Amino acid sequence: MKEGEFNLKKEVKIVEGRPKDAYHFSNLMEISASSLFPAVFGHEFKTILGNLFREKKNLFSFEHTHMAKLGNETLGMLLGYDWRIKRKEEINTGRLIIKYMKFEFIKRFPLFLKLNSIVGYLKEGEFYISNIAVYPEYRGMGIGTILLNFIEETESKNIKKLTLDVETKNEGAIRLYKRLGFTISGKVSIKLKGITFEFFRMEKILL
C-alpha cells in the first residue's frame, strides 16, 4: 500500500447519515445494485430512495445509514439494521413506498413480494448489511473495509451474526467479505422484469 493511501485511511471518518445526504445515498444505492433497483422500483428509483432516506423509521432511512467521509467529501456508505428494527419498521417501510410510488406500486407489488421472499430475512440476533457502496474514484483504498469493521465494532455487543445478500457476479465484493471472515451459507435466484438475479447469502458469526 502506498504511504498516501495509508494516510488517507487514517483520515476517513464514519458518521451517521443525515437527511441532507440523500443525493449521495441515492447515487451510492444505484452503485450497489445498478440493475436490481430499477427492476423493482422503476426508472424513478433514485428519487424514491432519496425520499425514503429522508424519512424516519423505515428500512431505507438515514437513521440506519453510515457515511464514509474525508473532510466534507463523501466516499461511500453502508445501510444496515438489526432484526428488531426490521420487525418494527417493515410495515412503515411499505407504507412509505406506497406513498412515493403511488399507483406504480400496485403494478410492481408482485416484484416486491418475490424479492422479499428470498433476500433480507433476519433471525433473532442478526444484523443485516443491506447495501454498501464506494464511489469508483475511492475504490482500492480500504473504504469498504473501514465501513464493515465499524459496523462490527459498534454492533458486536448487541448481535450474534452479521448477514448480507450479494449478487453472485459481484466477485470483488465477495472477495472482500471472505477476507473479513464472512462465509457463504446459501444461494438463491429470482427473475424480475426478464432479468435473473442470483444471490449468495453470506454471514459472519461474532464470538
Side-chain angles (χ1 to χ4, degrees):
M1 179 181 296
K2 297 178 182 178
E3 182 179 354
E5 291 181 0
F6 179 74
N7 291 336
L8 175 64
K9 288 179 66 175
K10 291 200 297 183
E11 296 299 322
V12 171
K13 304 297 182 185
I14 306 301
V15 300
E16 295 180 355
R18 294 173 291 179
K20 70 177 185 178
D21 294 315
Y23 170 80
H24 288 295
F25 176 78
S26 297
N27 286 340
L28 289 162
M29 288 291 275
E30 179 181 24
I31 290 172
S32 74
S34 59
S35 299
L36 181 63
F37 284 131
V40 177
F41 287 96
H43 67 279
E44 295 291 333
F45 72 97
K46 291 178 69 173
T47 300
I48 296 166
L49 291 174
N51 288 332
L52 293 171
F53 177 80
R54 295 185 188 95
E55 297 268 9
K56 292 183 176 181
K57 300 187 183 304
N58 79 90
L59 300 180
F60 295 96
S61 174
F62 67 92
E63 297 176 305
H64 311 313
T65 306
H66 288 85
M67 316 298 288
K69 290 184 175 282
L70 181 64
N72 293 324
E73 192 74 17
T74 298
L75 315 181
M77 70 93 196
L78 185 149
L79 170 66
Y81 41 81
D82 66 26
W83 83 102
R84 292 165 296 196
I85 290 172
K86 181 175 173 64
R87 290 175 184 174
K88 288 179 181 177
E89 298 185 3
E90 271 188 310
I91 293 176
N92 193 48
T93 301
R95 182 184 67 81
L96 288 170
I97 290 173
I98 294 170
K99 172 184 174 181
Y100 290 115
M101 292 187 70
K102 297 183 171 59
F103 292 110
E104 184 68 17
F105 177 78
I106 298 174
K107 294 192 298 183
R108 294 181 175 273
F109 180 65
L111 302 179
F112 283 96
L113 285 181
K114 288 176 67 175
L115 185 63
N116 287 336
S117 70
I118 66 165
V119 299
Y121 59 89
L122 285 179
K123 297 179 182 178
E124 184 173 337
E126 295 183 345
F127 184 96
Y128 187 61
I129 299 167
S130 175
N131 298 86
I132 181 171
V134 175
Y135 281 121
E137 58 267 36
Y138 297 111
R139 290 177 187 166
M141 298 179 180
I143 308 303
T145 299
I146 293 172
L147 283 162
L148 289 163
N149 284 341
F150 177 86
I151 291 299
E152 181 174 343
E153 290 169 8
T154 55
E155 297 291 338
S156 59
K157 293 181 180 180
N158 305 313
I159 61 171
K160 301 174 183 178
K161 185 189 296 183
L162 295 173
T163 63
L164 59 89
D165 296 297
V166 58
E167 289 190 56
T168 57
K169 64 182 181 182
N170 194 346
E171 297 177 356
I174 293 168
R175 285 195 298 270
L176 170 62
Y177 300 142
K178 286 183 175 180
R179 180 167 59 80
L180 294 178
F182 287 80
T183 57
I184 295 173
S185 60
K187 181 179 177 181
V188 294
S189 64
I190 186 172
K191 193 170 185 178
L192 302 171
K193 291 290 184 177
I195 304 173
T196 298
F197 296 91
E198 196 171 61
F199 300 92
F200 285 132
R201 167 56 64 115
M202 300 188 72
E203 58 186 37
K204 180 177 182 178
I205 298 174
L206 304 181
L207 301 178

